[in-house]
Amino acid sequence: MSPLPRWLTLASVAGAGAVLIVLPFFLKPFGIYLLSLWAVMAIAALGLNLTLGYAGQISLSQGAFVGIGAYTAALMTMNGWPYPLAFIAAGGVGFAIGWVLGYPALRVQHHYLAFVTLAFSTLVFLFLRNEQWLTNGIYGLSNIPRPSFFGWSTTKAIDFYGFCLLVLGAISLALWWMVRSPWGRAFMALRENPIRALSLGVDTRRYTLMAFAIGSSVGALAGAAYAPLVQFIEPNSFGLGLSFTLLLMVIVGGAGFFLGPFIGAAVSILLPEWLRIAEGYYLLCYAIMVMVLMAFCPSGIIGLLQKLARTLVHRQRGVALGTGETGG
């Protein structure tokens, strides 16, 4: 999948960044909370986009990794550990478990792999619900503290939003570098044709495991930011519903496009709230919009924008050639 034109990508990123910095100063606390939730879910979707969109490995367990990261960070900070250490530990736990989960991907593909990750997601949910000695079961964990950094407290909603935005920016830059490095090209070769990639010298076994491990680690880092955002977590928050929602974000935004998860998260988190003007029909309107989008543009919103940009460029070139022929 080719990227959007460079000028359009840079203009979009610059404009969106400016809006994200200025917008919270004009919003109420609930609006700032939604923006923070969007940032956290965009991080989790970025991890899934790496696994699914770039490496072509179907995963229905990203929500479980968000839960693993959330519980790891919550348990550590509630027991007095510094948040930065808990954040790193959450990513490390997600990486280790994701690496192990990647082994089934070496033997099964496509929908069989989806069933394996779906079973893993169910396993994590049952663990969080039944192991009360660790997770407090269905009662969950409450009063999760928000972090402070060198005297900067993130207790206020706008401060914590700034923290989420910084984490999103740092992870986005790291993944942006990765997908343009030889690692990213190896992931895409694995997605397009694993046998051809192997014949070209790509270690498909290693890169399959790395795709799962890195994507899972990013999902766990999102969970480490999610726990102090909501300050209360319980097992139902990380069930299959969250995994399907994250999958929807990636597909609606555009799987395999770097900006896809950002737009997909906005559609899933913010659009339902904007549609509340339809009162009791807002979820119906939301479902219809998503169905229409998927029916007419399976490559997602970024794919649709790319097609429109290509059409515009071709028409301009056609007009220019026609003018030139007339002038000759």
Side-chain angles (χ1 to χ4, degrees):
M1 298 178 187
S2 58
L4 287 169
R6 188 177 182 82
W7 65 269
L8 181 58
T9 303
L10 292 175
S12 302
V13 171
V19 170
L20 289 173
I21 293 173
V22 174
L23 186 59
F25 294 100
F26 301 95
L27 295 177
K28 295 180 180 178
F30 181 67
I32 299 174
Y33 166 78
L34 286 179
L35 280 181
S36 303
L37 185 61
W38 165 81
V40 170
M41 290 299 129
I43 294 171
L46 279 169
L48 181 59
N49 191 38
L50 183 71
T51 306
L52 174 66
Y54 284 97
Q57 305 300 313
I58 300 174
S59 174
L60 296 178
S61 59
Q62 192 71 354
F65 283 102
V66 175
I68 290 171
Y71 271 89
T72 301
L75 289 170
M76 291 184 69
T77 53
M78 292 175 71
N79 285 281
W81 290 80
Y83 180 80
L85 190 59
F87 186 79
I88 295 171
V93 171
F95 185 90
I97 298 177
W99 182 278
V100 175
L101 184 64
Y103 277 93
L106 302 174
R107 302 182 62 85
V108 296
Q109 297 290 328
H110 308 303
H111 56 283
Y112 297 104
L113 179 58
F115 285 130
V116 171
T117 56
L118 188 147
F120 173 78
S121 183
T122 304
L123 178 66
V124 171
F125 170 75
L126 292 175
F127 179 87
L128 296 178
R129 191 184 68 176
N130 296 329
E131 301 300 324
Q132 295 190 19
W133 62 274
L134 181 64
T135 65
N136 205 27
I138 60 174
Y139 301 105
L141 302 175
S142 58
N143 298 322
I144 300 170
R146 288 185 173 177
S148 298
F149 305 95
F150 307 105
W152 175 46
S153 173
T154 60
T155 304
K156 293 182 178 178
I158 194 167
D159 291 324
F160 194 79
Y161 168 71
F163 166 72
C164 292
L165 206 57
L166 287 175
V167 174
L168 175 61
I171 292 177
S172 299
L173 285 175
L175 292 178
W176 182 83
W177 168 82
M178 179 173 290
V179 298
R180 281 159 180 76
S181 70
W183 286 52
R185 290 191 287 274
F187 285 149
M188 286 184 272
L190 183 64
R191 177 193 65 197
E192 298 298 332
N193 192 323
I195 298 176
R196 183 184 300 171
L198 185 62
S199 67
L200 293 175
V202 176
D203 188 344
T204 56
R205 177 186 176 88
R206 175 189 174 196
Y207 282 104
T208 299
L209 294 176
M210 289 303 295
F212 265 97
I214 297 174
S216 303
S217 178
V218 174
L221 292 176
Y226 177 81
L229 170 65
V230 297
Q231 298 188 289
F232 170 74
I233 55 175
E234 51 88 25
N236 288 318
S237 301
F238 310 107
L240 286 174
L242 179 58
S243 292
F244 285 121
T245 301
L246 291 170
L247 183 63
L248 177 69
M249 292 178 189
V250 173
I251 294 175
V252 167
F257 295 103
F258 188 77
L259 296 178
F262 297 90
I263 296 178
V267 170
S268 296
I269 301 295
L270 304 179
L271 184 59
E273 298 300 326
W274 293 338
L275 291 175
R276 284 187 184 275
I277 56 175
E279 298 181 348
Y281 298 99
Y282 79 99
L283 284 179
L284 179 63
C285 296
Y286 173 72
I288 292 174
M289 291 177 68
V290 172
M291 290 170 63
V292 170
L293 175 66
M294 289 294 93
F296 292 97
C297 189
S299 57
I301 295 174
I302 295 291
L304 177 62
L305 293 175
Q306 190 174 68
K307 287 180 181 177
L308 292 175
R310 283 175 175 168
T311 302
L312 181 62
V313 169
H314 289 164
R315 285 184 178 177
Q316 289 178 341
R317 287 177 178 173
V319 170
L321 288 173
T323 305
E325 290 174 357
T326 303

